[in-house]
Structure formats: C-alpha cells, structure tokens
Amino acid sequence: MQSRLRYLFILTMTLSVVTLGLLAHSEGLGECDLRHRNRSSVPSTPSQERSSQRAHHSTAAPEFQVEDLNGRTISLASLEGKVVIIDFWATWCPPCRLEIPVLNDLQARYGKRGLEIIAISLDETVDEIRAFMKQTPLNYTVVHGDEAIMARFGGIVALPTTFFLDRRGSVRQQHVGLMSREAMERIVRQLLDER
C-alpha cells in the first residue's frame, strides 16, 4: 500500500513539474511584469518572443559596481576576459525560478572555461533572497538590485531579463522572458568559443 502511494505521489509530482514547464514554455509563464510590480505573470506570445530577443554585435555593457550577498564588489572591469550572463530575476517570479537549474548547470559546466553568471535579484529585501537561497541553492553570484542598476541596463520592465556579454564586455544578446536551456547554452558556447 505504501509503495503504491509513493508511486502515485512521485507520478503526481512529475506530472506537475512537466505541466509547469510546458505552461512556462508555451505562453503561460513567459515573463513577470515589473511595470506595475504586481508579481503576476504575463503571457508572452510568439510575436513578443521574437521581439524580446535582440542581437547586439558591439554594444558596450554599461559600467556598474555592485556587491554580492557576501560583500564582494563586482564591476564590469572585474569581469573583463569572461563571458558573462547578467540575469535580472526575483524569487517570486515563476519563470525566473524555472531558469535556476539551467543557470546552475551552465555555471557548473562552463565556469572553468570563463563563464560568470551574475544574478541581480529585484526582490524587496536581501532577507527574502537569503531565505529563498536556503531552499534553492544557486552556484553563481547573486546581488540585490535596485532602480539604479535597472536604469543602467536600459530599464527592466519584465523578468527574467537576461544579458549575454562577450569577453570584451560587449552586450551580444538580450532576452526578455523565459529562455530554453538549448538557447542559453548555444549563446554561451558561441561566446566562449570566440577569441
């Protein structure tokens, strides 16, 4: 009886995770709107998806200086020579949460090749971020963002918003909304392979 209940529980949880992933990928949880800061998901349509990706071939990343949750100062200059993902996110944003395993995997797989992930949380307090990280470990750098850092990156209106920087500090891609593992990895590998 217990093994049957355990099987049903595992099956239910697996179906729930798959369903959530499919919803997120097919318009249900595309991005979280920051314009009204209402913590709700805004579906993205295919036309929004296309317009949310912009290729940049030589746009310099904005100068910035932030402290991570451990007090370490991070600046654009300190990241020189690395491929960088700057990911604006929040703990309350479902698509952001779905990207965490992908970002953890990318950092683990490509960190030694020069990938650095900086996650800029737009949660209201550092305590919210720390509490979340106790339940969901992140193996990359996390900082607490504010209006100033959002403005430096051109104004962030939805989460997640992800910037991909090459080794020279140029923004090569920007994406608003949930990204697939394949799309993220393709961009990272392309930028790491450039010299």
Side-chain angles (χ1 to χ4, degrees):
M1 182 70 164
Q2 282 186 337
S3 65
R4 186 174 178 179
L5 287 175
R6 187 176 332 149
Y7 170 77
L8 289 173
F9 175 76
I10 291 170
L11 180 62
T12 302
M13 294 306 293
T14 302
L15 289 173
S16 297
V17 168
V18 168
T19 301
L20 182 60
L22 290 173
L23 284 172
H25 204 64
S26 71
E27 299 184 21
L29 297 172
E31 57 197 47
C32 296
D33 191 349
L34 283 178
R35 290 172 287 219
H36 302 97
R37 297 222 181 218
N38 62 4
R39 296 185 180 203
S40 67
S41 295
V42 175
S44 65
T45 63
S47 62
Q48 286 174 318
E49 181 73 17
R50 282 191 296 278
S51 67
S52 69
Q53 281 189 323
R54 290 186 278 173
H56 298 274
H57 297 288
S58 61
T59 303
E63 291 292 334
F64 66 90
Q65 184 169 319
V66 292
E67 276 191 12
D68 70 10
L69 297 186
N70 298 317
R72 181 177 65 123
T73 300
I74 300 161
S75 65
L76 183 60
S78 72
L79 299 169
E80 188 175 342
K82 296 182 179 185
V83 169
V84 180
I85 296 175
I86 297 178
D87 186 56
F88 286 87
W89 71 293
T91 62
W92 47 262
C93 169
C96 301
R97 288 177 174 223
L98 288 172
E99 282 188 345
I100 289 171
V102 175
L103 294 171
N104 275 337
D105 183 55
L106 290 174
Q107 186 63 55
R109 292 175 74 191
Y110 298 107
K112 290 182 180 174
R113 287 189 56 196
L115 176 66
E116 179 86 22
I117 299 174
I118 311 294
I120 301 176
S121 173
L122 299 180
D123 285 280
E124 292 186 22
T125 68
V126 172
D127 290 339
E128 288 176 305
I129 305 165
R130 289 187 196 281
F132 176 81
M133 289 177 64
K134 284 182 183 175
Q135 301 296 318
T136 307
L138 284 72
N139 66 354
Y140 45 88
T141 303
V142 178
V143 304
H144 184 230
D146 58 17
E147 297 288 332
I149 191 77
M150 290 170 58
R152 286 197 168 279
F153 279 86
I156 305 299
V157 296
L159 298 178
T161 295
T162 310
F163 295 85
F164 295 85
L165 281 59
D166 65 19
R167 294 182 190 274
R168 293 175 302 284
S170 295
V171 176
R172 297 287 296 277
Q173 286 275 341
Q174 175 185 347
H175 185 87
V176 178
L178 181 66
M179 285 187 77
S180 70
R181 174 184 300 271
E182 295 78 18
M184 279 190 169
E185 188 166 19
R186 184 176 53 251
I187 295 166
V188 166
R189 291 179 68 168
Q190 175 187 344
L191 293 175
L192 286 170
D193 289 344
E194 290 178 0
R195 289 291 162 190

